[in-house]
Amino acid sequence: MSQAVAEDLRSVVLRYRFNASVEELFAAWTDPEMLAEWWGPEGFRSKVLVMELHPGGRFEIEMTAEDGEASRITGVYREISPPTRLVFEITEHCAKDLPPEVEPQIAPTPVTVEFVSHGDQSEIILTQDGLNPTYSELVTWGWGGAIDKLKTRLG
């Protein structure tokens, strides 16, 4: 990778509050049935095909759009620290029906999810690094839609 490309990579940091405990939130990210209920933006349904929940373990999620077209997201878990931290690397990103101005994300991207308790509420701080500039906007939109579904799921 050239130095010019490396300097152009983006990070996305997103913060979300929930009326749920960190334990409930952590379970929503680590239980395959729960994850399938909310993963992916609005209009997509997901199926967890592989979830090897240990450092070095793989995951594979199939996301199906309303038109029936499916794409897969794959990756590897790097750190699992219940109930406060989950780190994984996405190795294959969604590339289905990208807008013409969005370049596919080819390089793997690390994702860190921190679960922080604030009394009766909890916060997720989600950081995804190493994104190409046009794909970072799509990532922000995708996580936002997924988190909206998670908020609905947790009530």
Side-chain angles (χ1 to χ4, degrees):
M1 178 178 349
S2 73
Q3 186 64 25
V5 172
E7 290 175 3
D8 206 23
L9 295 179
R10 304 282 193 264
S11 293
V12 170
V13 180
L14 306 165
R15 300 173 87 99
Y16 304 98
R17 285 269 187 150
F18 293 84
N19 293 318
S21 69
V22 291
E23 290 81 8
E24 291 170 302
L25 288 172
F26 193 86
W29 284 78
T30 57
D31 178 282
E33 290 179 19
M34 290 177 71
L35 185 73
E37 292 178 14
W38 65 266
W39 184 275
E42 191 61 45
F44 285 79
R45 65 183 188 280
S46 296
K47 181 178 180 183
V48 177
L49 303 175
V50 176
M51 182 182 271
E52 300 169 344
L53 199 59
H54 59 82
R58 296 182 325 107
F59 66 86
E60 185 173 342
I61 302 168
E62 181 178 77
M63 295 185 352
T64 304
E66 292 174 333
D67 66 5
E69 291 287 322
S71 63
R72 294 199 177 176
I73 293 178
T74 64
V76 177
Y77 290 104
R78 298 296 181 209
E79 178 185 339
I80 301 162
S81 301
T84 60
R85 188 171 162 92
L86 183 65
V87 180
F88 54 92
E89 182 177 62
I90 298 176
T91 56
E92 181 181 347
H93 297 80
C94 181
K96 181 194 174 326
D97 295 334
L98 295 178
E101 68 276 7
V102 176
E103 294 178 37
Q105 178 70 40
I106 304 301
T109 61
V111 178
T112 300
V113 186
E114 297 173 281
F115 305 89
V116 182
S117 179
H118 295 285
D120 291 343
Q121 292 188 327
S122 296
E123 180 179 30
I124 290 176
I125 304 167
L126 186 149
T127 305
Q128 188 166 355
D129 295 313
L131 296 161
N132 76 48
T134 60
Y135 201 81
S136 65
E137 291 181 29
L138 185 69
V139 163
T140 300
W141 170 80
W143 281 124
I147 296 300
D148 285 346
K149 290 175 12 184
L150 178 56
K151 284 185 175 185
T152 299
R153 160 77 171 77
L154 292 177

